[in-house]
Amino acid sequence: MLRGVIITGIIMLLVLSSMGGMASGVEEKKMHGFFKGNVFNNLRIMVEINEDYATIKNAKDGETLVEKAYPVIEIKEGKEWREIEFEEKFIEVQNHGGWHTVAIGFAHTGKIAVRGFLEYYQRKKVGEGAPLYPLLLLYFNKSVEHRVVWRYEGIATNWFEVIDNGTGETRAPFKEGHARRVIYNGTIQGKMEFEDGQDIVVAWKNGVKEFGSNWEREKLRYKTLKFDVEDRVNMEIVEDESNGKMLKSEESRVVDAYGLMAWDSGGGGSDPDSDGDGLSDSTEEAGWYIWVCTSGTTWHHIKVYSDPHYKDTDNDGVDDKAEYDHGTDPEDSDTDDDGLNDSEEIYTYGTYAYTWDSDENGISDNDEFHNWLFMLYMDADNSLYKYMSDVVDKVFQGLSGLTSDGERINRVMHIVIEYDGKEWGDSGRYEIRFNTATWQWEKVKVDSWGDLAMCEPRTLSDFVNWAASKYWQPNRRALIIMDHGGGWDGLLWDDSVSGDNYTDMNELKRAFGDMKTHINLVWFDACLCR
Amino acid sequence: MSEVIYQLRGYADMIVGSEETSWEDAEEYSSLFNHLAANYPARGVELHVEDVSQEIINNYKPINNGNHTISSLWVGRTISTLIPAINNLAQELINLVNEGHGNEIKDIITVTQHMNVPIRNGEFFNHSYRDLYSFSKLLINRFGSNSKVGEAARDVMNAIEQVVEQEKHNNGDYHGISIFLPDDRRWYYNSTWGTSATYRATDFAQYTEWDNFLKALFPSQG
């Protein structure tokens, strides 16, 4: 098995393969798809995905911003970096789980084997204009010092590279088996200005550094050197300061056209946290990465943002700082699309809000918590006795054969029965449940009485309140009322009660009014009640 | 019945019911819960309210082969959509009664699809429970779709189609919801059951226009 080393390279717009420097040799352009969207500084771009590279254009006017963008993987051999050539390469275009994905797979075999994917994806449901998410995954067969060089060609006559050293860092919240949140943490050797950052781009003007940007691990924010977008500057790659040469600086260009980085536009001025949510403005504007699983077992690494002026950007009851801590999307009230909103998962159910199936049992969190309580109120204390005296057994028999799925069923369905027949002492309260020790369904009598006045509103509401109290978790509840019925004339005749021995409409309303839970479905297994 | 649903407004999302004693014996409870468990959670399929009601209806087997009907209705939608339409229809019917068309309305009621199962010692009092859609359709046939009552009846039919989620019947002109609609004053002023007083005690009689229509159709001095 290959030992996985995951690198997430979220570099500006990037994209594309051409692993092994194939881009330069491509004559014929073959496009496999394109994305439109905003990049970090909200520049609207279109990224054309070609077989070996991406072309990045301004979506408004079609101006080519970057003719060719592609990453190159290099491994350390002695003191030198050697570029890996990939023998295999393929492209997949998929639409699944609400994501539009173009994935370029590549592989190199040999003493050092490498395989990987460069995925570029966009969340369809957000629609055009959504952030574009590039993701690079690398898997080596052994631990090897490597780096990713992102090459951008055809920026006017300039080109530049961005170098990451391939180190990855996992940071909280990390729960085993789940939040595999990886923040790319490349470093640039020798440049003291950038501390412990990544994705260094520096612009020079007349030989003087004009701006630069990196990511500071400790502060979790982009550090930005301000510049005037109208200035014409040269783009340069920063290399090892020991030989810190300018790779190219032949022409000038309007920097804004690159639209590559997340600028700290201020937002809070002297106050770094305008909305007081515990996240700095620059962090909220620059965004951060989370891992999300919305279906199956495929995880997506996406960048998320929040509004520096609102504590709870998506108004889902989880403020932006908590979203940050819990690894959820502050702009999506249901990060994992499982039907439970982030607030419910984090504060009510304790499930992971970034994956649809927290315990990885194949049942969505929504299913596990949007399950059912079936409450059967069976009044057979009348002429129906001869038909319904065995109703508890019949319900039990319906489930008794379902043993292999018993545990799963019992997580979704909880069944309680209140029964009263004609005989003294046959009244009882039952649960039909699955016993995980015996791996059998069982019928358990949890309470009994000599007789129950089933026509009394209080008897009905007490039963429902007991059941809803015991099974508090389900938020879907069905109440099944079985007896004679007469429509608005009443129902629930109880022959053991003398005098007023049925429930009229106002008594029925009172019973429901006394229930301390909402009923999603009422089934009147009684005449004339619909 | 419209009256039962209205009585439980705010307390339930959906009501399922038949117009007869639903099941012959308890055997159907066995098949119902077997199907609910095997078709949904056992397969990892989410169980929605509509799924439960559909399974109930699928497993519904009436006592005999006579007319039977079972349906599921959304309570909230009934209150917001159907009840206003019923109120409007009731007002138009009152206008017709005041214009001297009372007997024509009674004739229409007589042939409107009614519910069949006897209650209490075999009395067919429940023949006064009639299909609201069937009644509306007959009103249109008699008075025309462009008449005021015809338009009101059409609104009721449209509303019924919105609030009835599922419906099943064999014979008869059933569409999912009934209403108290006696064809003779003896059922409205029934001495045995105290019909008028009991009926008027329901929220539906008190807070909708329907009972005003019935009172107009069967005036107490009549």
Side-chain angles (χ1 to χ4, degrees):
Chain A
M1 293 292 290
L2 294 178
R3 181 174 164 186
V5 178
I6 297 178
I7 297 175
T8 62
I10 261 289
I11 297 187
M12 328 161 182
L13 326 177
L14 57 73
V15 176
L16 250 271
S17 88
S18 160
M19 319 313 280
M22 295 179 66
S24 58
V26 173
E27 295 285 336
E28 185 179 350
K29 183 175 177 181
K30 185 179 180 182
M31 194 174 78
H32 290 270
F34 68 89
F35 296 87
K36 283 186 178 180
N38 299 334
V39 278
F40 306 147
N41 67 347
N42 291 327
L43 173 66
R44 192 162 177 73
I45 61 161
M46 181 172 78
V47 180
E48 294 180 355
I49 310 298
N50 304 291
E51 189 165 345
D52 297 309
Y53 58 92
T55 299
I56 302 166
K57 296 180 177 179
N58 187 323
K60 285 185 177 178
D61 56 16
E63 178 192 13
T64 298
L65 305 178
V66 181
E67 283 187 2
K68 294 177 180 177
Y70 55 93
V72 174
I73 314 301
E74 297 181 345
I75 59 173
K76 196 71 172 286
E77 287 187 344
K79 292 184 179 180
E80 302 298 322
W81 289 100
R82 179 174 68 84
E83 184 175 317
I84 295 177
E85 293 189 10
F86 293 97
E87 301 88 357
E88 297 177 46
K89 187 157 63 76
F90 61 92
I91 290 181
E92 287 183 355
V93 180
Q94 294 181 331
N95 285 296
H96 63 88
W99 294 89
H100 177 200
T101 307
V102 175
I104 297 99
F106 48 88
H108 166 77
T109 55
K111 188 176 179 182
I112 296 175
V114 187
R115 62 186 176 95
F117 296 92
L118 175 61
E119 296 181 352
Y120 203 80
Y121 50 99
Q122 189 171 30
R123 200 165 194 170
K124 285 172 65 181
K125 79 173 190 178
V126 180
E128 189 174 292
L132 305 171
Y133 303 120
L135 169 66
L136 177 64
L137 302 166
L138 289 179
Y139 302 88
F140 290 84
N141 65 333
K142 60 177 68 174
S143 179
V144 57
E145 191 174 359
H146 63 279
R147 68 181 186 180
V148 180
V149 179
W150 295 91
R151 287 187 179 157
Y152 297 81
E153 297 182 1
I155 305 173
T157 57
N158 287 352
W159 66 278
F160 68 98
E161 291 180 334
V162 179
I163 302 175
D164 294 324
N165 71 355
T167 58
E169 180 204 26
T170 301
R171 67 180 172 82
F174 179 82
K175 294 174 182 176
E176 188 172 0
H178 294 286
R180 293 177 285 274
R181 171 190 285 207
V182 179
I183 298 299
Y184 196 84
N185 187 34
T187 55
I188 295 299
Q189 300 171 14
K191 273 294 178 185
M192 299 305 292
E193 296 94 325
F194 298 103
E195 301 174 4
D196 193 13
Q198 69 156 37
D199 301 343
I200 308 300
V201 174
V202 176
W204 301 78
K205 182 179 181 181
N206 300 324
V208 178
K209 184 175 69 179
E210 195 70 19
F211 75 93
S213 184
N214 77 324
W215 185 77
E216 295 176 302
R217 182 173 59 181
E218 296 304 321
K219 297 179 182 176
L220 301 177
R221 54 169 290 178
Y222 279 93
K223 177 183 179 183
T224 300
L225 304 178
K226 290 185 178 181
F227 71 104
D228 184 345
V229 297
E230 297 302 324
D231 280 351
R232 290 181 176 276
V233 296
N234 300 326
M235 296 293 294
E236 299 293 342
I237 181 62
V238 178
E239 270 197 343
D240 188 335
E241 193 173 35
S242 60
N243 59 12
K245 57 185 178 183
M246 289 183 173
L247 299 178
K248 289 281 184 181
S249 60
E250 297 172 358
E251 283 193 9
S252 297
R253 188 175 174 80
V254 178
V255 172
D256 184 52
Y258 296 115
L260 300 179
M261 301 299 288
W263 313 120
D264 182 353
S265 60
S270 57
D271 177 7
D273 182 10
S274 297
D275 54 13
D277 63 1
L279 288 177
S280 69
D281 292 348
S282 54
T283 296
E284 297 200 69
E285 289 179 342
W288 61 93
Y289 292 96
I290 63 173
W291 281 95
V292 174
C293 182
T294 56
S295 65
T297 56
T298 303
W299 290 76
H300 295 278
H301 195 220
I302 65 173
K303 188 164 191 180
V304 298
Y305 304 85
S306 56
D307 190 323
H309 301 292
Y310 293 97
K311 281 188 174 181
D312 183 3
T313 300
D314 55 10
N315 197 33
D316 65 352
V318 183
D319 66 33
D320 294 341
K321 176 62 162 59
E323 301 250 19
Y324 180 90
D325 291 340
H326 287 277
T328 52
D329 185 348
E331 293 184 304
D332 186 345
S333 60
D334 180 11
T335 299
D336 53 14
D337 291 346
D338 65 359
L340 293 174
N341 68 35
D342 294 346
S343 176
E344 288 178 306
E345 296 213 58
I346 293 170
Y347 299 124
T348 302
Y349 300 122
T351 50
Y352 301 126
Y354 46 78
T355 177
W356 68 285
D357 179 15
S358 293
D359 57 4
E360 298 179 337
N361 66 348
I363 301 175
S364 75
D365 295 339
N366 182 55
D367 277 2
E368 298 207 32
F369 290 93
H370 276 171
N371 53 20
W372 282 85
L373 172 60
F374 289 93
M375 298 170 284
L376 284 67
Y377 191 73
M378 309 272 102
D379 179 6
D381 195 350
N382 46 51
S383 60
L384 293 176
Y385 178 71
K386 57 186 175 184
Y387 304 113
M388 293 294 176
S389 59
D390 59 347
V391 65
V392 178
D393 289 333
K394 293 299 182 184
V395 175
F396 169 74
Q397 287 169 15
L399 296 165
S400 59
L402 301 171
T403 52
S404 61
D405 295 311
E407 185 183 21
R408 172 186 286 207
I409 293 168
N410 208 183
R411 273 202 302 266
V412 179
M413 292 174 59
H414 309 281
I415 302 167
V416 294
I417 304 170
E418 185 129 306
Y419 172 82
D420 180 39
K422 286 186 78 71
E423 306 295 331
W424 177 261
D426 66 1
S427 303
R429 184 174 284 173
Y430 299 85
E431 293 178 45
I432 309 295
R433 63 195 185 195
F434 190 72
N435 188 326
T436 54
T438 62
W439 213 248
Q440 297 290 327
W441 286 91
E442 60 186 12
K443 176 187 67 177
V444 180
K445 192 171 189 177
V446 295
D447 213 340
S448 60
W449 302 270
D451 186 62
L452 277 173
M454 299 295 275
C455 57
E456 289 291 332
R458 179 74 179 273
T459 307
L460 175 57
S461 59
D462 280 354
F463 166 60
V464 169
N465 289 335
W466 165 80
S469 172
K470 175 155 189 177
Y471 294 100
W472 57 270
Q473 217 172 41
N475 53 16
R476 290 174 185 165
R477 299 173 184 85
L479 175 61
I480 299 170
I481 296 175
M482 190 285 297
D483 187 30
H484 289 301
W488 55 255
D489 198 31
L491 70 165
L492 289 172
W493 275 266
D494 188 330
D495 288 356
S496 295
V497 175
S498 57
D500 179 8
N501 68 342
Y502 74 104
T503 304
D504 66 30
M505 283 295 102
N506 287 315
E507 289 173 324
L508 183 67
K509 182 179 178 182
R510 193 195 315 158
F512 274 80
D514 288 340
M515 294 174 189
K516 296 172 182 174
T517 188
H518 182 75
I519 306 297
N520 299 94
L521 183 145
V522 179
W523 171 27
F524 289 106
D525 186 12
C527 283
L528 300 170
C529 289
R530 77 103 176 90
Chain B
M1 298 197 71
S2 304
E3 298 83 359
V4 178
I5 296 169
Y6 192 79
Q7 196 78 14
L8 295 184
R9 63 194 185 282
Y11 294 122
D13 299 331
M14 176 179 276
I15 288 179
V16 182
S18 69
E19 291 298 352
E20 298 82 27
T21 300
S22 292
W23 289 353
E24 192 167 20
D25 55 35
E27 193 65 41
E28 284 80 4
Y29 279 94
S30 182
S31 62
L32 170 67
F33 280 96
N34 181 272
H35 285 117
L36 283 173
N39 292 340
Y40 298 93
R43 296 182 181 176
V45 178
E46 185 174 357
L47 185 58
H48 296 96
V49 172
E50 302 94 312
D51 301 324
V52 175
S53 62
Q54 188 64 65
E55 288 292 345
I56 292 170
I57 292 172
N58 288 347
N59 286 277
Y60 171 67
K61 294 174 184 173
I63 289 177
N64 51 51
N65 290 324
N67 288 10
H68 63 261
T69 172
I70 186 170
S71 61
S72 57
L73 299 94
W74 293 106
V75 178
R77 220 177 285 170
T78 300
I79 302 307
S80 64
T81 304
L82 181 57
I83 295 301
I86 289 174
N87 283 334
N88 188 40
L89 177 63
Q91 190 57 57
E92 294 302 334
L93 289 168
I94 291 170
N95 293 339
L96 282 179
V97 171
N98 292 338
E99 292 167 7
H101 295 286
N103 287 334
E104 291 173 80
I105 295 172
K106 290 174 186 173
D107 289 343
I108 292 171
I109 294 172
T110 302
V111 296
T112 296
Q113 179 66 58
H114 61 73
M115 307 306 148
N116 253 354
V117 173
I119 62 170
R120 299 195 192 183
N121 302 320
E123 283 212 41
F124 279 82
F125 167 78
N126 58 305
H127 280 194
S128 297
Y129 297 174
R130 298 176 187 274
D131 190 274
L132 181 56
Y133 191 100
S134 169
F135 177 58
S136 301
K137 193 166 56 176
L138 292 170
L139 285 172
I140 292 175
N141 291 345
R142 170 62 186 84
F143 295 103
S145 58
N146 292 326
S147 65
K148 286 187 176 179
V149 73
E151 291 175 354
R154 171 56 62 188
D155 289 343
V156 168
M157 294 163 71
N158 291 339
I160 290 172
E161 289 171 356
Q162 291 181 45
V163 303
V164 175
E165 177 69 21
Q166 297 129 341
E167 195 274 339
K168 184 171 89 171
H169 66 273
N170 56 355
N171 302 311
D173 189 28
Y174 299 113
H175 296 268
I177 186 166
S178 67
I179 198 165
F180 181 49
L181 188 56
D183 60 356
D184 190 284
R185 66 187 313 279
R186 69 193 170 106
W187 297 119
Y188 186 60
Y189 298 102
N190 185 286
S191 58
T192 303
W193 311 120
T195 304
S196 184
T198 306
Y199 176 70
R200 287 179 184 174
T202 65
D203 285 356
F204 187 81
Q206 291 186 46
Y207 303 124
T208 74
E209 294 296 320
W210 195 251
D211 192 42
N212 292 330
F213 156 60
L214 295 181
K215 280 188 288 191
L217 191 63
F218 306 115
S220 59
Q221 69 273 18

